[in-house]
Amino acid sequence: MLTPGQLTAIQRTVPILQEHGEALTRHFYQRMFQHNPEVRGFFNPAHQHSGQQQRALAGAICAYAQHINDPSALAGAVELIAQKHVSLGIRPEHYPIVGENLLASIREVLGLAEDDPILDAWAVAYGALADLFIQREAAIYQEQRERAGWNGFKRFVVSRREAASDNIVSLYLKPADDAPLPAHRAGQYVTLRVVLPGGEAIMRNYSLSNEPGADCYRISVKREGGEGTPPGVCSHHLHERVRVGDRVEVSPPCGDFTLAAPGARPLVLIAGGVGITPILSMAHEALAAAPERTVWLIQGALNGLVHPFADEIAQLKRRYPGLRVHVRYSEPLPEDRLNAAHDGEGLIDEALLDELLGREKAEYYFCGPTPMLRHLCRLLARRGVPPEDIHYEFFGPAQSLAA
Ligand code: FAD
C-alpha cells in the first residue's frame, strides 16, 4: 500500500517519464539482458531493434504513474499484458528480476541517490503492480488447465501445409499425443516455440485462423522481411524449413480479442493483409452462432497475389446469406483488373464505410498494420462509434494509437 507521500512522489515522476521514458526503458532492457541473460528468450530482438518494445513499456509505466490513484482504469491494458505473459510462460519468479533492473535503471538514468524517496515509492508501486499481474496470471493458468488441459508448451505435429496467398503459408497443427483439442475462442492466438538450426529456441505469437472446434489449430504466417530488411527469423524458418510431419511446441490459446455474445446489431470485421487471421476465425464463429446475422467482412490487401483466403471466404459467403464481403486492393496489378477477385481499389476509408454501412450502429473488430489500426480508430471515433464497440488486435507490442 502506497503512503500519500509515495503517491505524490510517483505522480511527480509523470512529466519525467513523459520526457525520458524511452531512454529509461532502453537502458532497462540493456541492463536486464546483461545481468539476467536467462530472460532474453522472452523478448523478440526485432522489437528491440525497432524500438517498439521500449516504446510500449515506456507508455505502460507512464500510464501506471498517471493512474496510480486508481489503477483499475488500466484493467484493459493489464488483461492484454497478462494474457501475453501467460502465452510466453512468464512466472512469478520473473517479476523480481524485472523489478530489480527497473529500479536500478530509474536510479541510473535519473541520476538519483540510493536513498531518494522516488526509489522507495517506485519499489512499492512496482510490487503492487507485480502482485496484480501474478494474481491474474495464476487465474489464467488455472483457466487454461481446466479448459485446454495443459499449461506451457506442448508438442504438436504439422499435419498439413498450404499457401493462403503468395506470402502467407498456413500450417495445420495437431497434438502429437492425439489428445482431444480444446476449442479456441475466435480471435485468440497461440505461442509457437521452434528450435532454429543453430539450436536457439524462439517464441512467436500466431492468431488461430480457423473455425473454433476443428480437430486442429491452423496458423497462417506471413513471410516477413526482404527488400532491404533481414528475413523474419521465425516466419522464414516456417516458410522455408518446416514441413508436414515436423514437430513444433504450442502454448494454449490466449488473448482477449474475442467476440462479445451475438447481438442484433451488424458485426463489422475488417482485416488488412495478414491481419485476416483472427478476423477469419471470428467470421466462422459469428456466422455459426447466428447464421442470419448481418456480418460484414471488409478485407484490404495490396493486390491479388497477396490476397489471402479468397476461396475460403467465397465458400463462407455461399453458405451464409448474412455474410457480406468487400475486398479492396490498395496497389492492384494490371491483371487484377481482369478478374473479379476484388470489389474496389484504395484504402479502407470513410467513403467506403458510408457506402457499405451508412450510419447503422454496429460492432467493429479489426486487425492489420499499425497505421491501419490508428486510421480506423480515429475514423470510427469521428463517426460516433462508442469505445466499447471498437476492438482491435496488434501483431506486436501494444502501442498507444493516440499519437
Ligand atoms: P522477426 O525476426 O521478428 O523480424 C520482424 C521484422 O523486423 C522483419 O520484417 C525483419 O526484417 C525486421 N528486422 C529484424 N531485425 C532487423 C534489423 N536488424 N534491421 C532491420 N529490420 C529488422 N504474424 C503472422 O504472420 N500471422 C499471424 O496470424 C500473427 N498473429 C499474431 C498475433 C499476435 C497477438 C501477435 C502479437 C503477433 C502476431 N503475428 C502474426 C506476428 C508474429 O508474432 C511475428 O512477429 C511475425 O511472424 C514476425 O516474426 P519473425 O520472427 O518472422 O520476424
Side-chain angles (χ1 to χ4, degrees), residues 44 46-47 49 84 189 204-207 220-222 224-226 229-236 274 277 393-396:
N44 180 344
H47 295 159
H49 180 84
K84 193 66 76 63
Y189 57 86
R204 297 286 187 272
N205 302 129
Y206 291 105
S207 299
S220 305
V221 180
K222 179 183 165 205
E224 294 290 349
T229 54
V233 176
C234 188
S235 58
H236 180 80
V274 73
T277 52
E393 178 78 303
F394 280 104
F395 276 3

Side-chain angles (χ1 to χ4, degrees), residues 178-196:
D178 280 332
L181 195 61
H184 68 281
R185 295 183 64 196
Q188 287 191 305
Y189 57 86
V190 292
T191 300
L192 203 71
R193 186 161 70 181
V194 295
V195 180
L196 300 175

Side-chain angles (χ1 to χ4, degrees), residues 161-276:
R161 203 191 126 100
E162 70 194 12
S165 72
D166 255 24
N167 65 350
I168 298 178
V169 68
S170 286
L171 302 178
Y172 293 75
L173 308 170
K174 287 192 161 180
D177 61 4
D178 280 332
L181 195 61
H184 68 281
R185 295 183 64 196
Q188 287 191 305
Y189 57 86
V190 292
T191 300
L192 203 71
R193 186 161 70 181
V194 295
V195 180
L196 300 175
E200 186 195 354
I202 55 163
M203 298 188 275
R204 297 286 187 272
N205 302 129
Y206 291 105
S207 299
L208 295 170
S209 61
N210 59 341
E211 72 278 17
D215 66 352
C216 57
Y217 290 150
R218 181 180 67 183
I219 59 167
S220 305
V221 180
K222 179 183 165 205
R223 182 195 291 274
E224 294 290 349
E227 289 175 17
T229 54
V233 176
C234 188
S235 58
H236 180 80
H237 178 73
L238 298 175
H239 274 256
E240 296 304 321
R241 301 198 195 95
V242 173
R243 296 288 174 258
V244 170
D246 286 349
R247 285 167 185 236
V248 292
E249 290 182 299
V250 177
S251 70
C254 270
D256 64 345
F257 178 59
T258 52
L259 292 171
R265 288 176 302 162
L267 176 66
V268 182
L269 304 172
I270 308 178
V274 73
I276 187 66

